[in-house]
Amino acid sequence: MNVLTCLIIYLTVCLTFSQGYRMLGIFAFHGKSHFMMFEALMKGLAKKGHQVDVISAFPLKKPVENYTDLVSIPIKLTLVNNVSFDFMKINLREMPVHAVSTMGGNELCEYLNLPEIQKIIKDPPTNPPYDVVISEIFGASCFAVFGNILNVPVIGVSSSALYPWANPFIANPENLAFVANNLLDYVKQMNFWQRTFKTLHTLFNKMYFNYFTQYQDQLIKKYVGPNMPSVRELERNISMILVNSHFSLNGVRPITTALIEVGGLHVQEDDTKLSPELKKWADECDKDGFIYFSFGSMIKIETFPKHILDIFYKSFEKISPVKILMKIPNPKDLPADLPNNVRMSPWLPQLKILKHPNIRAFITHGGLMGTQETIACGVPMIGIPLFADQFTNIDSYVEKNIAVKLDYESMTQKDMDDALHKILYNSTYRKTARKIGERFVDRPRKPIDTANYWIDYVIKYGFNSLHSPALNLYWWQIALLDVYMFLFVVTFVIIYILFHLTLLLLNMFSSKEGNTKVSHKKKIT
């Protein structure tokens, strides 16, 4: 029996490894919040027996079996806990598309010249060779060139709902009459002028992005080779996109088969624990509860204008004995007179905090990763969006009645007081948050299993196995404008002919009637 058992185990292990693929993950952007999803994805694939090699700015702190940090991208612009209020307002809030196409795009493509990456370009591994490239869809489409170098499919991963310029990559339909644009405020039912503005805004930002990122063509030719495809061609060769969205949060919309929703893939249990001191503090909030306050992995709350911080201070003091747990990168830089019911820390295990039974609400900037974790835990929110898709995210949550929205530019003391009162004492928000959370996690399979299945599918059946026929059509053909124009012309011609034919028949009838009357008069005469 022991021999048979060992044989079965041996055959099972052999079968598992024989089904594994070798995957190259490329995630050059230095945003930690983005990498949360990519790390969870690549760890999940490694756990399923695939060999994953990763190029990123965030090498693992603890080794994972089958996961290799192949190249560590040097970080020129530190974003983690280093984005001030002024930098955010000028570079991220007022010019988000420019920031994506340059800081998150062209500048990252310069990393193609790193010696470690050049080694892969000039001497790709063959024992075993790569089976697929998995790369972030954001601003640096240049890395899709590895699909051509390695002659394998390229799968894109987006840590947010797709930005407008990414839909054409896979000919994903975007009906601007009702599908949200994550660069604009979310409006469920738009009137004519809102739809017009949204259409013009979307078209402009697509052209703006394409104009700035066409510079990547030069970098590809310079660092990879003169015969490589343009960046626009590389984008249209992407086989599939795994997107961090889900219809329960982002709404029902038409999508092509090549767009796979895996929203909340990063919301996974791990071995992270609350420190004994923090756990004791949270447990002791059993009577009145606590509110968690964080603006994500980038923003330094302590750099906000003093009048905004004063509003927070006064409102927090008013709701005591309810306590506040704040994620503050540099607590020493905060103004004095912090209320006694506030506890601070430069880093906090967010998911563990959101799962604590004594949490009552989350004050957030609306980042997708954090709010998805919050929704999965059934916690209501106060949203203070700062830039990019955060406005759309919070507007969507307000519409679902799981959040209260504030605008930091016009926020008053009364606004903050009222928001805290609503979220703490109106039970509707918490009840609805739990219901939405149940819908969000209720799926036939886990997001990582969905991702693994479709990655395997593309590898097995080819890079164009999910491609839409719309990729071979012009935009006016997809919109059937040529058909409508043809039908309009044909209808016009038919009406024109019928009109003139009717006039001709009427004239003929009138002439005959006139001739009959003349003949009758002649007979009488």
Side-chain angles (χ1 to χ4, degrees):
M1 177 63 83
N2 290 336
V3 174
L4 180 60
T5 302
C6 292
L7 181 60
I8 292 172
I9 293 172
Y10 173 77
L11 291 174
T12 302
V13 170
C14 290
L15 182 62
T16 301
F17 279 99
S18 67
Q19 291 178 336
Y21 295 107
R22 189 174 187 186
M23 304 177 178
L24 177 63
I26 307 174
F27 312 106
F29 184 59
H30 26 258
K32 181 65 174 177
S33 58
H34 289 223
F35 191 69
M36 285 174 60
M37 177 189 180
F38 311 143
E39 181 180 345
L41 172 64
M42 302 311 284
K43 280 183 176 179
L45 294 172
K47 189 175 180 180
K48 291 184 179 297
H50 303 295
Q51 180 182 344
V52 299
D53 296 338
V54 179
I55 298 173
S56 80
F58 302 99
L60 296 183
K61 295 180 180 179
K62 295 181 180 179
V64 172
E65 188 177 2
N66 297 331
Y67 185 117
T68 302
D69 283 305
L70 196 64
V71 180
S72 295
I73 297 290
I75 299 178
K76 295 180 180 178
L77 178 63
T78 302
L79 296 178
V80 178
N81 287 340
N82 197 46
V83 175
S84 68
F85 176 85
D86 292 334
F87 182 92
M88 176 275 297
K89 190 172 182 180
I90 295 172
N91 294 285
L92 304 180
R93 184 181 177 98
E94 297 178 2
M95 299 188 299
V97 182
H98 185 267
V100 172
S101 57
T102 54
M103 289 186 290
N106 299 346
E107 294 178 15
L108 299 183
C109 292
E110 295 284 356
Y111 291 131
L112 286 169
N113 195 36
L114 287 176
E116 302 95 325
I117 293 180
Q118 281 292 308
K119 183 179 179 181
I120 302 172
I121 292 172
K122 295 174 180 177
D123 186 22
T126 57
N127 187 28
Y130 287 111
D131 297 292
V132 70
V133 171
I134 303 174
S135 182
E136 179 178 14
I137 296 297
F138 191 50
S141 300
C142 58
F143 291 105
V145 75
F146 278 91
N148 293 73
I149 296 169
L150 304 172
N151 194 28
V152 296
V154 176
I155 292 174
V157 190
S158 177
S159 61
S160 67
L162 288 191
Y163 283 100
W165 52 82
N167 285 294
F169 296 2
I170 53 173
N172 189 57
E174 46 175 345
N175 192 318
L176 297 177
F178 67 94
V179 175
N181 175 338
N182 54 4
L183 290 173
L184 290 172
D185 291 346
Y186 175 84
V187 181
K188 188 173 183 180
Q189 297 291 337
M190 293 181 288
N191 59 35
F192 171 78
W193 296 112
Q194 288 171 325
R195 285 185 283 115
T196 301
F197 175 76
K198 180 180 178 182
T199 300
L200 294 175
H201 183 277
T202 301
L203 292 174
F204 171 78
N205 280 297
K206 282 182 179 179
M207 292 187 291
Y208 190 94
F209 177 84
N210 289 341
Y211 172 76
F212 272 95
T213 55
Q214 66 183 358
Y215 172 68
Q216 294 178 24
D217 290 347
Q218 300 178 34
L219 300 178
I220 292 169
K221 294 183 184 302
K222 180 179 179 181
Y223 298 134
V224 182
N227 298 321
M228 287 292 119
S230 69
V231 68
R232 301 286 87 88
E233 292 174 309
L234 292 173
E235 289 169 348
R236 294 173 68 85
N237 284 335
I238 290 172
S239 300
M240 178 181 77
I241 296 177
L242 301 171
V243 62
N244 189 25
S245 65
H246 190 259
F247 65 86
S248 64
L249 301 184
N250 302 88
V252 176
R253 62 189 65 196
I255 59 175
T256 181
T257 312
L259 186 69
I260 308 298
E261 290 195 310
V262 291
L265 185 146
H266 67 291
V267 186
Q268 299 180 20
E269 286 289 349
D270 56 25
D271 56 358
T272 304
K273 295 182 180 179
L274 297 177
S275 67
E277 185 183 0
L278 180 57
K279 185 178 185 305
K280 181 176 181 294
W281 179 89
D283 291 343
E284 290 175 350
C285 297
D286 58 320
K287 183 179 179 181
D288 300 293
F290 69 91
I291 293 174
Y292 175 49
F293 184 177
S294 171
F295 278 171
S297 62
M298 294 167 54
I299 301 299
K300 298 169 68 176
I301 299 176
E302 59 272 25
T303 64
F304 272 54
K306 189 175 184 302
H307 74 275
I308 295 178
L309 295 176
D310 285 342
I311 290 174
F312 292 148
Y313 279 24
K314 291 176 183 178
S315 293
F316 294 162
E317 189 172 23
K318 289 177 184 178
I319 63 172
S320 182
V322 177
K323 295 182 180 180
I324 311 293
L325 179 61
M326 292 184 71
K327 184 256 180 187
I328 301 288
N330 299 293
K332 294 180 181 179
D333 294 338
L334 281 171
D337 302 323
L338 189 72
N340 293 328
N341 61 331
V342 177
R343 177 189 175 98
M344 299 176 297
S345 176
W347 180 87
L348 292 164
Q350 183 161 284
L351 187 57
K352 295 295 182 183
I353 291 168
L354 292 169
K355 287 187 173 184
H356 197 281
N358 292 338
I359 189 169
R360 298 183 62 180
F362 179 30
I363 301 176
T364 173
H365 64 315
L368 188 58
M369 298 296 173
T371 55
Q372 284 180 339
E373 292 174 346
T374 310
I375 291 166
C377 296
V379 178
M381 293 171 274
I382 295 177
I384 309 175
L386 304 177
F387 57 87
D389 63 339
Q390 296 161 14
F391 296 92
T392 304
N393 296 340
I394 295 300
D395 286 340
S396 175
Y397 305 151
V398 169
E399 190 267 333
K400 291 175 174 59
N401 211 26
I402 60 175
V404 177
K405 180 182 178 182
L406 295 174
D407 183 349
Y408 76 83
E409 291 187 320
S410 59
M411 180 176 64
T412 64
Q413 189 68 61
K414 186 178 183 303
D415 293 333
M416 190 71 212
D417 292 345
D418 290 346
L420 285 167
H421 188 272
K422 285 180 182 178
I423 215 71
L424 288 173
Y425 303 112
N426 186 340
S427 60
T428 301
Y429 288 100
R430 189 164 191 89
K431 290 177 181 177
T432 309
R434 287 173 176 168
K435 289 180 181 178
I436 297 294
E438 290 173 359
R439 289 181 58 193
F440 181 56
V441 300
D442 188 0
R443 312 185 196 185
R445 62 174 70 186
K446 294 180 180 179
I448 184 60
D449 295 328
T450 300
N452 182 68
Y453 173 84
W454 287 108
I455 291 171
D456 284 359
Y457 187 95
V458 169
I459 294 173
K460 285 190 289 187
Y461 300 114
F463 83 96
N464 61 351
S465 53
L466 299 178
H467 270 193
S468 168
L471 284 167
N472 301 318
L473 299 175
Y474 293 105
W475 65 269
W476 63 83
Q477 293 173 314
I478 295 173
L480 292 177
L481 293 183
D482 51 347
V483 175
Y484 294 143
M485 181 60 69
F486 171 75
L487 294 176
F488 173 78
V489 171
V490 169
T491 303
F492 177 81
V493 170
I494 291 173
I495 293 173
Y496 179 85
I497 292 173
L498 289 175
F499 176 75
H500 285 277
L501 185 59
T502 303
L503 288 179
L504 180 61
L505 291 174
L506 289 174
N507 288 334
M508 290 175 62
F509 180 77
S510 298
S511 299
K512 286 183 179 181
E513 190 177 67
N515 292 335
T516 302
K517 288 180 179 180
V518 171
S519 300
H520 183 68
K521 285 182 180 181
K522 286 182 179 180
K523 287 180 180 180
I524 294 175
T525 304

